[in-house]
Amino acid sequence: MSPAFDAEAYAEATAKALDLPLPPEWKASVVAHLKATAAAAELVLAFPLPDEAEPAPVFEP
Amino acid sequence: MSADIWSLSAHEIAAGVKARRLSAREVAEATIARIEATDPGLGAFTDRTFGRALAEAQSVDDAVADGEAPPLAGVPYAVKNLFDIEDVTTRAGSKINRDNPPAGGDAALVRKMALAGGVLAGALNMGEYAYDFTGENAHDGISRNPHDPGRMSGGSSGGSGTAVAAGMVPVSLGSDTNGSIRVPSSFCGLFGLKPTYGRLSRAGAFPFCASLDHLGPIARSAQDLALVFDALQGDDADDPAQAHRPPAAALAEIGKGAGGLAIAVADDYFRKNGMPEAFAAVDTVVAALGVTRAVTLPQAARARASAYVITAAEAGNLHGKRIRQRARDFDPDVRDRLIAGAMIPAAWVIQAQRFRAWFHAAMLEVFREVDIILAPATPFHALPSGTKMITLDGVTMPARPNIGIYTQPISFIGLPVVAVPVWLPGAHLPIGVQVIAAPWREDLALRVAWHLEQAGVARAPVAKL
């Protein structure tokens, strides 16, 4: 987990900005899930990909 | 014979009905009796469609009398309750979706089963909105493990595992986004097929994560998987992710067994973070097949992490409106994951999708050298129901998300897998091994599963109830 990512502050701000429910009794669990996802994302983001690497889904018009 | 019709395999039933040694009606009646006798203690079914089953059985008997020979003649089956069944409300494991009207028609795969002569007994319990590896449902109760009812059936297709392991039906259909067919197959000791992403139509099945959702069968033999898989294949314009490939001839090929295939066992990531039984089961299969080669799946941990991020984000998006309007009607464990998922920054998800393309290309290189890769299906036997934390390699972690550590990197790029059940010496519970093939080669994975079954290494007995 990057020390720069404050999951609790992020959850509070995002809940407010995106109109998501975050009552106090749910917060610890939501923050824990956010931290777990952030840890996974950090692993993914740390892998060097070339600028040309496109996302897997391809739209076929 | 009628006393133990419920214990027959799908291919035995179809052969018996086509030869008129059995009627589809007596099979349906035996199935109904078995469900009524065993389901109350196990919690597999949420909706029973016995009237439909008897009507479909009659149609099959009439067709056979007219000289027809449908491939699944009279085979009873049931489906995870995210498949649309005409006149049944598709609950998808939720309380919220029960407010929806009954489905106006069948899901594409249910139509395929019916066309092939299948007889639908009902809809099966599942984790809420498929975000689950336990088989526990906050609204409908627990789908229990027939081999030990105090333990998890595995999720999210929990009822699909319970019903087949208990001998209620020989075949069920489930869905697998990160392991939801393979985990219950491992915990309940069954053969489960997660086909290639895009192989089978998902039309009429309630989604979870469009990028990762698959549907497939669970059965008690490799031959039954092949029989049903062949019946389920075919183009369907209603599923935009379907790949429109020529069908595999799974049943016709299965008797070739493992001969001539280059088989390797996955090392590194797939030899860590498991209990001894997970690796012992793989070693048993490795020994039976005479495998001497190991392969390293490149960046498997990142593959799993990417699937985790995509799942969280797509589920958070799918359920965004319900989370805002009806948060208190969710299973709390699912709700909190969905709220967190709805908060995820776009950059994380897009990077995970970019990594997915990288991992896909890297894995295709691996499959230039080997036909089949073996790996554990779950890190342990079925856990006691209600288990919240587990300790793996000395690290204590939440149980639920980590049940799928070995399945998640594989479904991430849609590789076809057959989970095969292994009973270790002295064990009272089974555990699964993943037989993984290159894209579109379900036939090869099924051949190896069949080979292991013939050798007595993989087997799926009905649980002693």
Side-chain angles (χ1 to χ4, degrees):
Chain A
M1 174 80 52
S2 162
F5 182 74
D6 182 338
E8 186 166 345
Y10 181 85
E12 286 170 356
T14 314
K16 195 173 173 187
L18 300 181
D19 185 30
L20 288 163
L22 194 66
E25 65 273 24
W26 301 355
K27 195 192 289 181
S29 171
V30 170
V31 168
H33 286 301
L34 203 51
K35 281 182 178 172
T37 310
E42 187 172 87
L43 192 59
V44 178
L45 291 163
F47 187 73
L49 286 172
D51 288 345
E52 296 75 19
E54 298 218 358
V58 175
F59 176 71
E60 190 177 329
Chain B
M1 190 172 196
S2 62
D4 59 357
I5 284 175
W6 54 264
S7 69
L8 297 175
S9 68
H11 64 269
E12 288 168 335
I13 290 169
V17 169
K18 284 189 273 190
R20 302 178 77 168
R21 293 191 304 271
L22 280 170
S23 72
R25 180 168 186 97
E26 67 181 308
V27 174
E29 286 171 348
T31 299
I32 290 167
R34 178 71 177 173
I35 293 167
E36 287 178 335
T38 60
D39 191 48
L42 293 172
F45 279 78
T46 52
D47 305 87
R48 297 174 176 186
T49 57
F50 294 165
R52 172 176 172 154
L54 292 169
E56 287 183 327
Q58 187 62 52
S59 297
V60 170
D61 284 332
D62 292 345
V64 171
D66 288 344
E68 294 177 34
L72 300 177
V75 172
Y77 72 102
V79 298
K80 186 174 186 174
N81 70 30
L82 54 66
F83 286 84
D84 280 354
I85 299 172
E86 187 172 11
D87 296 331
V88 174
T89 293
T90 308
R91 61 179 84 194
S94 72
K95 176 182 175 186
I96 293 168
N97 286 36
R98 288 187 216 184
D99 294 347
N100 294 342
D106 291 338
L109 295 193
V110 175
R111 291 201 304 272
K112 292 267 188 193
M113 292 294 285
L115 273 174
V119 169
L120 181 65
L124 299 163
N125 203 351
M126 60 177 281
E128 188 178 57
Y129 291 125
Y131 212 162
D132 168 60
F133 283 133
T134 67
E136 297 169 1
N137 183 292
H139 317 293
D140 292 311
I142 295 172
S143 57
R144 298 183 182 278
N145 192 317
H147 295 289
D148 180 345
R151 290 180 182 261
M152 296 174 180
S153 57
S156 62
S157 310
S160 303
T162 304
V164 178
M168 299 185 212
V169 285
V171 177
S172 62
L173 300 184
S175 68
D176 187 319
T177 301
N178 287 299
S180 287
I181 286 174
R182 293 161 287 162
V183 167
S185 295
S186 178
F187 282 6
C188 292
L190 299 165
F191 291 82
L193 170 63
K194 186 207 72 62
T196 311
Y197 179 78
R199 171 71 90 178
L200 300 181
S201 172
R202 304 171 303 178
F206 194 83
F208 174 23
C209 305
S211 292
L212 304 170
D213 287 343
H214 308 66
L215 306 177
I218 295 177
R220 293 193 299 268
S221 75
Q223 186 175 345
D224 280 3
L225 284 186
L227 179 71
V228 173
F229 176 57
D230 282 351
L232 294 176
Q233 294 182 68
D235 262 4
D236 183 2
D238 289 339
D239 180 354
Q242 221 196 354
H244 312 301
R245 308 271 306 194
L251 192 59
E253 294 288 314
I254 202 167
K256 290 182 179 173
L261 298 180
I263 305 177
V265 60
D267 63 10
D268 188 44
Y269 176 91
F270 294 91
R271 296 299 293 194
K272 296 175 192 162
N273 291 314
M275 300 296 259
E277 61 264 26
F279 308 126
V282 173
D283 292 344
T284 300
V285 168
V286 162
L289 295 169
V291 173
T292 56
R293 181 171 187 171
V295 288
T296 303
L297 277 56
Q299 302 294 334
R302 284 193 166 90
R304 191 248 172 168
S306 299
Y308 193 96
V309 171
I310 291 168
T311 300
E314 290 195 9
N317 164 273
L318 179 69
H319 295 287
K321 188 175 171 188
R322 281 176 283 271
I323 277 291
R324 287 176 177 87
Q325 295 181 350
R326 299 192 61 178
R328 292 183 189 275
D329 289 331
F330 280 83
D331 174 341
D333 282 338
V334 175
R335 175 199 66 208
D336 296 345
R337 298 182 86 174
L338 292 174
I339 294 171
M343 297 173 167
I344 292 175
W348 297 3
V349 188
I350 294 169
Q351 192 73 4
Q353 288 284 12
R354 293 175 71 207
F355 178 78
R356 189 181 184 204
W358 181 92
F359 184 62
H360 175 245
M363 283 302 299
L364 291 186
E365 286 300 311
V366 173
F367 279 112
R368 289 163 66 96
E369 305 293 324
V370 300
D371 299 307
I372 295 288
I373 299 169
L374 304 171
T378 54
F380 28 67
H381 292 303
L383 297 171
S385 295
T387 301
K388 295 294 182 199
M389 303 297 286
I390 47 169
T391 301
L392 297 171
D393 289 357
V395 180
T396 300
M397 57 188 87
R400 289 174 77 115
N402 287 296
I403 295 171
I405 53 171
Y406 301 134
T407 52
Q408 231 169 337
I410 309 303
S411 37
F412 176 51
I413 51 163
L415 300 174
V417 187
V418 177
V420 300
V422 173
W423 292 80
L424 295 165
H428 86 289
L429 291 166
I431 188 163
V433 172
Q434 294 187 90
V435 178
I436 304 157
W440 316 111
R441 297 315 305 265
E442 291 89 345
D443 57 329
L444 301 187
L446 285 162
R447 279 171 51 186
V448 172
W450 181 87
H451 184 106
L452 292 166
E453 193 180 3
Q454 298 302 307
V457 173
R459 58 192 183 87
V462 172
K464 294 183 180 72
L465 299 176

